[in-house]
Amino acid sequence: MMQNNDSHVKEGNKNFIFNSTGNIMIATTETDSSNMDESSRRVFNEVSVFFAAMTRAITNTPRPGSNENYSIYNYEALAKVIGGSGCFIHCTQEDIKYTSSSFGANFSKELLSALLALPTGSGSLAFAQAMISSIGQEGLKLSSESDTTNSKVGNIVFVCEFLFGMPIISAIVIYADSRSQKFTFQAGPCVKTSSTKTEMTLHKDVYMFVTPSFIKEYAADLDSIITSSEYGNFVSYLQSLLNDSLWIDGIYEEDRKVSGNALTDGHTYRIVGQNLGHEAGKLTLDGKEIPTNSWSDTEIKFTPSGVTDTPAPLVLTTKAQTAENMGNYKVVKADNK
């Protein structure tokens, strides 16, 4: 390693703390947490909102070919959310060969310290054993299912860093193939092997995490997050990434979202969503088809014509015959006509 002898270049010392589950880590070069400005605190709050939405979406979505829902430790579910949410920028990936002679709590702590590049002796990491055990139980379950095509298990850790006054957020995803590893995931509080030496290969991906700007002020109100319509809409969007279901954000005129039930005759609108289909389907108002200008998997453009007197159902039907009633709308005369 090249040595830097410049006396003006010094490595900053970081203090860090985890939440109770170990999925969110906050690290800072500040010795006094009160030095963190309010805008940085709000950015880190968004990470908590995203993780809560992601967890709810994953654990409430049925796993294909199973009678159970996805687990937060199921890598297939994590990968779909990460790949489709638009909030993650892939930075690095590496394979890590880990060897240990420890068991139980010590094994879990040493493994996480190595994966997260934490210094030796970095606190008790009280959550480590529960996290590794949960990953192991998911691996045991998947590896026992002969009909499943995916046996990868893993977890995600969001790292919120406040370094010299600047907030930086990354996400570390660790995963392993439960079938290919030469060790046994034992359901229970410990991870054990039949020998005194454990060798395992894990994979580690690091992402830059971009907070979702479409969650307005952290899903409108953190105190009423469960009933927030913006938060619920975001959860539905994440679920559409998991099960490829139809999801519609709304109707836009240019960049303004239509809030009422009136569409203007001769104006062009955009339906924005997910899984709308790569081939054109059909858009109808009160059962009468409205020609579309363009149709893609994430956006449909249309121009309504002909004034209608009363609001009627606006229904989108994809090429795959999945239908969505977008609400009742009427077409009104343009002001200049």
Side-chain angles (χ1 to χ4, degrees):
M1 179 183 297
M2 182 180 295
Q3 298 293 325
N4 193 325
N5 297 320
D6 189 339
S7 60
H8 297 288
V9 178
K10 297 181 180 179
E11 182 178 358
N13 295 319
K14 289 192 292 186
N15 300 308
F16 64 89
I17 189 171
F18 288 88
N19 72 332
S20 58
T21 65
N23 292 102
I24 298 177
M25 168 185 170
I26 297 179
T28 178
T29 52
E30 301 288 338
T31 56
D32 186 353
S33 61
S34 63
N35 292 333
M36 186 183 299
D37 59 83
E38 187 60 29
S39 62
S40 297
R41 294 177 187 272
R42 288 198 299 267
V43 169
F44 292 163
N45 282 341
E46 284 202 65
V47 175
S48 298
V49 171
F50 183 92
F51 179 65
M54 180 183 72
T55 301
R56 184 178 174 189
I58 289 175
T59 57
N60 282 278
T61 301
R63 184 160 56 91
S66 171
N67 295 325
E68 299 180 354
N69 291 345
Y70 279 111
S71 159
I72 191 64
Y73 303 105
N74 186 295
Y75 178 74
E76 180 185 12
L78 288 173
K80 283 188 174 182
V81 170
I82 291 169
S85 68
C87 298
F88 296 84
I89 302 172
H90 196 198
C91 297
T92 64
Q93 63 181 19
E94 60 178 317
D95 293 336
I96 299 175
K97 291 189 175 181
Y98 179 73
T99 303
S100 175
S101 299
S102 301
F103 295 97
N106 288 334
F107 172 86
S108 303
K109 176 182 172 181
E110 291 173 7
L111 175 59
L112 276 182
S113 296
L115 291 171
L116 301 180
L118 299 177
T120 304
S122 51
S124 62
L125 299 183
F127 60 86
Q129 190 169 358
M131 179 186 288
I132 298 301
S133 178
S134 296
I135 295 173
Q137 290 181 47
E138 177 71 8
L140 182 67
K141 180 172 63 178
L142 289 181
S143 62
S144 65
E145 296 178 1
S146 59
D147 58 340
T148 184
T149 58
N150 194 308
S151 58
K152 292 180 181 178
V153 291
N155 203 6
I156 185 170
V157 177
F158 291 93
V159 180
C160 304
E161 297 180 287
F162 188 70
L163 307 179
F164 301 106
M166 177 174 290
I168 301 172
I169 303 173
S170 57
I172 298 174
V173 179
I174 55 175
Y175 61 99
D177 191 319
S178 60
R179 290 182 174 177
S180 65
Q181 300 305 311
K182 294 182 179 179
F183 65 93
T184 300
F185 282 126
Q186 176 176 312
C190 301
V191 177
K192 297 180 180 179
T193 61
S194 57
S195 66
T196 58
K197 186 176 182 181
T198 303
E199 294 183 354
M200 53 193 299
T201 299
L202 300 107
H203 308 279
K204 174 181 175 181
D205 287 342
V206 179
Y207 300 83
M208 178 185 294
F209 179 73
V210 182
T211 55
S213 60
F214 46 88
I215 301 181
K216 298 179 181 178
E217 291 297 323
Y218 320 127
D221 182 359
L222 285 174
D223 293 331
S224 59
I225 190 169
I226 300 302
T227 58
S228 167
S229 59
E230 290 90 347
Y231 179 76
N233 194 38
F234 184 51
V235 171
S236 296
Y237 165 68
L238 293 180
Q239 285 186 302
S240 74
L241 301 175
L242 293 169
N243 56 26
D244 298 323
S245 62
L246 178 63
W247 174 82
I248 297 176
D249 175 42
I251 302 175
Y252 290 78
E253 184 175 13
E254 296 181 345
D255 292 328
R256 180 181 61 85
K257 192 172 186 178
V258 175
S259 57
N261 65 349
L263 303 174
T264 304
D265 178 29
H267 286 207
T268 298
Y269 295 90
R270 298 182 300 121
I271 298 174
V272 177
Q274 187 80 17
N275 300 317
L276 304 178
H278 295 284
E279 296 184 52
K282 185 167 63 174
L283 186 66
T284 61
L285 179 62
D286 197 18
K288 299 177 182 178
E289 186 169 356
I290 301 176
T292 55
N293 305 338
S294 63
W295 193 301
S296 73
D297 200 43
T298 57
E299 181 182 274
I300 301 168
K301 289 185 179 181
F302 70 100
T303 305
S305 61
V307 175
T308 59
D309 295 327
T310 57
L314 180 65
V315 178
L316 186 155
T317 305
T318 67
K319 185 71 173 178
Q321 297 302 306
T322 301
E324 178 76 16
N325 186 342
M326 302 179 59
N328 293 333
Y329 290 86
K330 64 180 178 179
V331 180
V332 299
K333 185 179 179 180
D335 294 337
N336 59 351
K337 291 186 179 181

